[in-house]
Structure formats: C-alpha cells, structure tokens
C-alpha cells in the first residue's frame, strides 16, 4: 500500500497542527513538518482529525435501513415490541442482508471504523442473524470492522434451546456472549449468569449483558455481575449495556457502584436513547470505568429512529448528560471513540504512531463543536484506505 501524507491536520488532543504520515495502513508519524517525497498528499487545511468512530452497541440484524419507510407498528409496552418483532420479522424479511449492508455503508460514510452488534439468537431464528451480519460485513470488504455478540433477546432460561444455540455461535467464531435482564426477563439472575459466564469461560469469549432492569433490582444485578467478573478473572472483558438502574441511583450509590465496576473491570455501554436513564458518564470515567456508546436499534421494529452516525449519538449522550462545557462534551465523544475501542479490546487505536490509520476529518474548530454541529465527514480512512469523501462512500 502506498504512502499517504495528510498535511495540515489538527489532531484531537494534539493542541497544534500536524502532518500525518500513513504507511501500509498504519500511522507512522504524526507531527509538524513531515516530508515524504513519494507520498500522495492530501491537504486538510487545518481541519479537525478524529480517530475512527466506534459504534459499541447496535442491532444490525434487526434493521430495515434503506428500505421503504415502515410505520412503527408496535404498542408502547416492551411486551408489545417483543411480540410485534416476533410476529412481523418473517413478513418483513429480517434479518435482511441488503438492509444491513445499507446501514453499514451509512456508518462508514459517517466515519465509523468499528461496530459491535448484538445479534438475536433464538430457536425460531437459529443462527440466521449471525450469517446475515457476516454476509453484509463481507460486502463492505474491510471498510469497517464488525464484531457480533450472540444475544439472547428473548431470554435463555425462559426460552429453551437458546443456550445451545449461543454455544454454537461461540463455537462458530462469534467472540462475545450477551445476556439480558437476568432477573427481569429470565427470573433467575444466578442461573442466567451461570450460563453466560460459563459460556464465556469455555469459549474465551467477552461478555456484554443488556440490563434494563431499573431501581435496586438493576443495581443489585450490577453488583452480581461485578462479583462474577472478579471471581472469574474476566475483568476488562465484561460490559453492561444500558444499566438504567445505575442512572436512576442516588449519588452515593452511583459513586460506590462506579468504584466497584472499575475495580472489577466491567465497562458500561449507553445509548442515551429516548427518555431512558443514562448512566453517570462523568462519575464513571472519574472512577476509571470504561464508557462506550452506541445507537441500540436503528430503524427497526423497536423504533423508527437512528442515523448510524456516531457524532449524532455522541451529541445525544452529551445532551442527555446535560454537558455544556467543552471538556464535558468531549467525554461523550470519548465514549464514541476511545471508550468504544477499549470496550472492544482493540490492541492499537487512536491518533498515535503505530495505530491503524482509522481517521475522520471534519470542518470544526474543536471536538466539542464537532459533536454539537455534526458536520459532514470530509474524509474517512480505514486502515489507511480512503473509504468515504464528503459524506459518501469512496468508489
Ligand atoms: Zn440493545
């Protein structure tokens, strides 16, 4: 792969203009005054450079993205959404490889370099979702990295046959095992966690558990998950998504739980969607917890919203967290970049020599301005390859 020199960049955190030399897909130098005679030069004219955006929680297999508009058919209760999805997914033909591909293309054009997607696994679907997401990711041909979570959307203990299929998915190469409301959906948190952590240990998988249960039922399960993580030595490989109970807890409980999660090595992933409680990003980060963010559902039977744009998501997280100062707004962008990268365990990431050249160029004076205004992505690189220009996929 040839050399590329991005001249006159303003890398997030550098505090000054720098040139970025990319060789063989990797950032080789990032400093002022780089010369490289044979490199193709792209003049960035003092535009802001961010590392590739990380979508840390979505559901690609459910999406209707890019298709004719589908009016939202479900009632307002959670049970309605679950029943509607089970009833209509066959009729609507999800998982749909074309829709997943269209959404991944939109993500790439918006600057996303890595995606973690929770894929429904249940006896009626088998592993069809896993296969569909893999097929779509292959069509993107390296423009984005897609990681799947084997996700028991309809429970494990309450949905016989699911545990076996989760195991089959992990044996087939899916790297992360999911879980869902060990108490609220499965009614037996200890046995639910037995299955999830047991599968993780047997297959060397990471863990990412959906936890919508609120109040003390939610925070108690966070404690259980932290305890399991510590006991199994899986710290750094475990995440809880949503954690609404943590967002609802009082300050003293949030403080105590933040320390507990940090010590155990449990990350928190938030979507900041609708009016659901948002975990205390600032407090979690101060305690040393990894915080990542993602859209959750995008244009599916769970809801009609979502753009696939992680600057959009970072804006929602900052807004819902009532962040106004630049340094606070940057915490939301951190969740959509470095936090997500840490969640995914990426060995090298960021605006530093030796990291893959996953870069996003925008016309903004500061990262906070980029979150608030969500400007067009002028240039997107994945592994040093130009994958999008001016908000469109590069040919
Ligand atoms: Zn989700």
């Amino acid at each position: 792969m040839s050399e590329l020199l991005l001249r006159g960049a303003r890398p997030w955190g550098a505090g000054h203009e720098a040139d970025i030399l990319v060789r063989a897909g990797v950032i080789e130098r990032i400093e002022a005054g780089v010369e490289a005679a044979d490199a193709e030069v792209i003049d960035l004219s003092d535009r802001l450079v961010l590392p590739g955006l990380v979508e840390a929680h979505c559901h690609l297999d459910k999406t209707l993205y890019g298709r004719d508009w589908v009016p939202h058919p479900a009632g307002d209760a959670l049970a309605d959404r679950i029943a509607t999805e089970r009833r209509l997914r066959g009729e609507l033909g999800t998982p749909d490889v074309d829709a997943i591909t269209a959404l991944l293309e939109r993500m790439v054009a918006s600057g996303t370099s890595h995606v973690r997607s929770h894929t429904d696994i249940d006896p009626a679907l088998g592993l069809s979702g896993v296969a569909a997401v893999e097929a779509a990711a292959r069509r993107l041909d390296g423009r984005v990295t897609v990681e799947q979570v084997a996700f028991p959307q309809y429970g494990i203990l309450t949905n016989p046959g699911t545990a076996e299929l989760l195991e089959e998915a992990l044996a087939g190469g899916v790297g992360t095992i999911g879980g869902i409301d060990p108490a609220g959906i499965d009614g037996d948190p200890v046995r639910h966690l037995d299955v999830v952590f047991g599968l993780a240990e047997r297959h060397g998988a990471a863990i990412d558990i959906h936890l919508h249960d609120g109040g003390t039922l939610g925070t108690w399960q966070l404690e259980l998950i932290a305890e399991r993580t510590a006991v199994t030595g899986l710290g750094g490989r475990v995440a809880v998504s949503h954690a609404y109970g943590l967002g609802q807890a009082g300050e003293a409980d949030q403080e105590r739980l933040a320390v507990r999660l940090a010590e155990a090595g449990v990350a928190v992933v938030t979507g900041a969607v609708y009016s659901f409680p948002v975990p205390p990003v600032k407090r979690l980060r101060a305690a040393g917890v990894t915080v990542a963010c993602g859209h959750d559902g995008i244009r599916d039977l769970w809801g009609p919203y979502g753009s696939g744009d992680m600057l959009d998501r970072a804006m929602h997280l900052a807004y819902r967290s009532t962040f106004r100062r630049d340094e606070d707004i940057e915490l939301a962008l951190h969740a959509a970049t470095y936090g997500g990268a840490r969640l995914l365990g990426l060995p090298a990431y960021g605006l530093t020599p030796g990291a893959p050249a996953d870069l996003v160029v925008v016309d903004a004076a500061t990262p906070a301005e980029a979150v608030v205004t969500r400007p067009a992505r002028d240039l997107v690189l994945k592994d040093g390859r130009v994958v999008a220009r001016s908000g469109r996929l590069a040919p």
Side-chain angles (χ1 to χ4, degrees):
M1 197 178 288
S2 60
E3 289 185 335
L4 188 62
L5 180 60
L6 306 179
R7 198 176 284 294
R10 210 152 27 74
W12 178 12
H16 55 79
E17 201 172 273
D19 301 327
I20 304 174
L21 180 63
V22 175
R23 193 202 297 263
V26 172
I27 298 174
E28 185 169 288
R29 295 171 67 188
I30 180 162
E31 59 198 50
V34 176
E35 294 299 334
D38 299 331
E40 177 192 348
V41 177
I42 299 178
D43 178 18
L44 295 191
S45 305
D46 201 32
R47 280 174 293 177
L48 181 68
V49 178
L50 305 173
L53 302 172
V54 180
E55 163 58 76
H57 184 125
C58 66
H59 294 265
L60 292 173
D61 59 317
K62 296 176 188 287
T63 195
L64 302 165
Y65 195 89
R67 293 168 54 161
D68 291 342
W69 183 255
V70 177
H72 187 63
D76 290 333
L78 176 67
D80 286 334
R81 286 194 284 276
I82 290 176
T84 302
E85 179 175 59
R86 287 178 125 167
R87 193 177 73 247
L88 291 183
R89 67 187 173 199
E91 194 178 305
L92 288 168
T94 58
D96 175 354
V97 178
D98 290 338
I100 299 168
T101 304
L103 178 51
L104 284 172
E105 287 177 349
R106 176 50 27 206
M107 288 174 164
V108 169
S110 305
T112 292
S113 59
H114 292 82
V115 176
R116 171 179 278 187
S117 188
H118 294 251
T119 305
D120 285 3
I121 287 182
D122 115 296
L125 283 163
L127 301 183
S128 59
V130 173
V133 171
E134 280 176 356
R138 271 197 302 276
R139 289 188 189 171
L140 270 290
D141 189 27
R143 292 174 176 85
V144 61
T145 304
V146 180
E147 175 200 302
Q148 296 195 65
V149 181
F151 175 48
Q153 170 75 75
Y154 311 108
I156 301 174
L157 310 174
T158 51
N159 196 13
T162 301
E164 292 78 2
L165 286 165
L166 293 171
E167 178 129 43
E168 198 180 321
L170 298 181
V174 172
T176 303
I177 174 73
I180 185 163
D181 292 324
I185 287 193
D186 252 3
D188 188 337
V190 172
R191 282 181 56 221
H192 185 96
L193 295 180
D194 284 346
V195 174
V196 171
F197 278 80
L199 284 169
E201 286 190 293
R202 277 203 297 287
H203 293 275
I207 295 173
D208 192 334
I209 298 172
H210 277 66
L211 186 60
H212 312 91
D213 285 339
T216 52
L217 183 63
T219 53
W220 173 64
Q221 290 174 87
L222 277 177
E223 304 248 25
L224 283 184
I225 292 167
E227 187 186 323
R228 284 288 181 125
T229 304
V231 168
T232 52
L234 288 172
R237 305 263 294 151
V238 177
V240 174
S241 283
H242 306 320
Y244 296 152
L246 185 56
Q248 294 168 320
E251 284 188 20
D253 281 334
Q254 287 186 345
E255 201 69 57
R256 181 178 54 78
L257 287 161
V259 170
R260 187 84 186 91
L261 294 172
E263 284 172 355
V266 177
V268 171
V269 188
T270 180
V273 293
Y274 301 105
S275 60
F276 297 127
V278 179
V281 174
K282 222 165 154 175
R283 185 162 282 133
L284 290 168
R285 284 293 310 286
V289 178
T290 296
V291 178
C293 98
H295 280 75
D296 210 4
I298 300 171
R299 305 228 187 132
D300 58 28
L301 292 170
W302 288 76
Y305 297 102
S307 64
D309 178 354
M310 284 307 295
L311 282 186
D312 217 21
R313 208 66 251 152
M315 188 281 285
H316 279 92
L317 179 55
Y319 187 87
R320 290 289 318 282
S321 302
T322 58
F323 291 160
R324 295 182 175 90
R325 283 185 294 272
D326 278 30
E327 63 264 33
D328 291 343
I329 294 170
E330 283 194 30
L331 289 175
L333 185 57
H334 189 281
T337 51
Y338 291 94
R342 195 172 305 160
L343 173 86
L344 299 184
L346 303 183
Y349 173 85
L351 303 172
T352 183
D358 297 342
L359 304 170
V360 189
V361 177
V362 292
D363 189 4
T366 68
E369 185 187 358
V371 171
V372 171
T373 64
R374 290 154 283 145
R377 298 328 106 83
D378 291 339
L379 186 69
V380 180
L381 266 63
K382 168 71 174 169
D383 292 321
R385 164 186 179 192
V386 174
V387 292
R389 285 181 193 272
S390 307
R392 292 175 175 277
L393 279 197

